[in-house]
């Protein structure tokens, strides 16, 4: 069993930065692939970024490339999403997720498909004002 819990959300003005953290525990074999998703009101949940912890390969949705950075600590116990140059359209509930392996679905988010992830946190709110 794996548990993940997010922290670090809040309110910020456009152009500002926030750092989200995800504390992970439980089987390391079940969290080789970790990611961040977000869901804005009235919209479907979308993948933001993911990292394959065994080799550090990262994946980002196009809208955050160059602004967000996903990383993990060496012990794989903390996942971080550094968010810079935030925009109002980044406002959403952000979720941390973990899964045993990466997977790809060209029709449902590519490398950021929810199908890869078995364990989810409760979410942390990010609000960006203009």
């Amino acid at each position: 069993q794996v548990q993940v819990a997010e922290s670090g959300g809040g309110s910020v003005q456009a152009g500002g930065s926030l750092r989200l953290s995800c504390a992970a525990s439980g089987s390391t074999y079940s969290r080789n692939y970790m990611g961040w998703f977000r869901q804005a009101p009235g919209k479907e949940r979308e993948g933001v970024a993911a990292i394959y912890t065994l080799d550090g390969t990262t994946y980002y949705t196009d809208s955050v490339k160059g602004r967000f950075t996903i990383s993990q600590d060496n012990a794989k116990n903390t996942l971080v999403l550094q968010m810079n140059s935030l925009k109002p359209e980044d406002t959403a509930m952000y979720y941390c997720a973990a899964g045993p392996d990466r997977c790809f679905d060209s029709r449902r988010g590519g490398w950021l498909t929810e199908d890869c992830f078995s364990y989810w946190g409760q979410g942390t709110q990010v609000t960006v004002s203009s």
Side-chain angles (χ1 to χ4, degrees):
Q1 194 72 4
V2 172
Q3 293 80 41
V4 292
E6 309 91 341
S7 61
S11 298
V12 65
Q13 289 193 328
S17 299
L18 281 174
R19 182 181 175 93
L20 303 184
S21 294
C22 173
S25 62
S27 169
T28 57
Y29 300 105
S30 296
R31 44 189 172 98
N32 288 326
Y33 198 39
M34 297 194 70
W36 290 96
F37 288 74
R38 65 185 180 187
Q39 186 168 22
K43 295 187 176 181
E44 292 187 353
R45 188 160 58 186
E46 66 168 344
V48 176
I51 184 167
Y52 185 56
T53 64
L54 296 184
D55 65 9
T57 302
T58 57
Y59 306 91
Y60 296 93
T61 192
D62 286 345
S63 64
V64 308
K65 286 179 180 177
R67 300 189 298 122
F68 291 12
T69 302
I70 188 171
S71 62
Q72 59 163 349
D73 70 0
N74 289 335
K76 292 175 54 176
N77 291 328
T78 302
L79 183 73
V80 173
L81 185 67
Q82 178 65 43
M83 305 186 295
N84 299 327
S85 302
L86 283 161
K87 304 176 181 179
E89 50 264 43
D90 294 318
T91 295
M93 184 71 77
Y94 283 71
Y95 298 90
C96 175
D101 202 358
R102 57 187 163 183
C103 60
F104 185 86
D105 187 333
S106 62
R107 295 171 295 178
R108 297 182 70 241
W111 289 110
L112 297 174
T113 176
E114 293 189 17
D115 295 345
C116 304
F117 300 92
S118 304
Y119 306 99
W120 294 81
Q122 295 297 309
T124 186
Q125 178 67 38
V126 171
T127 303
V128 184
S129 58
S130 57

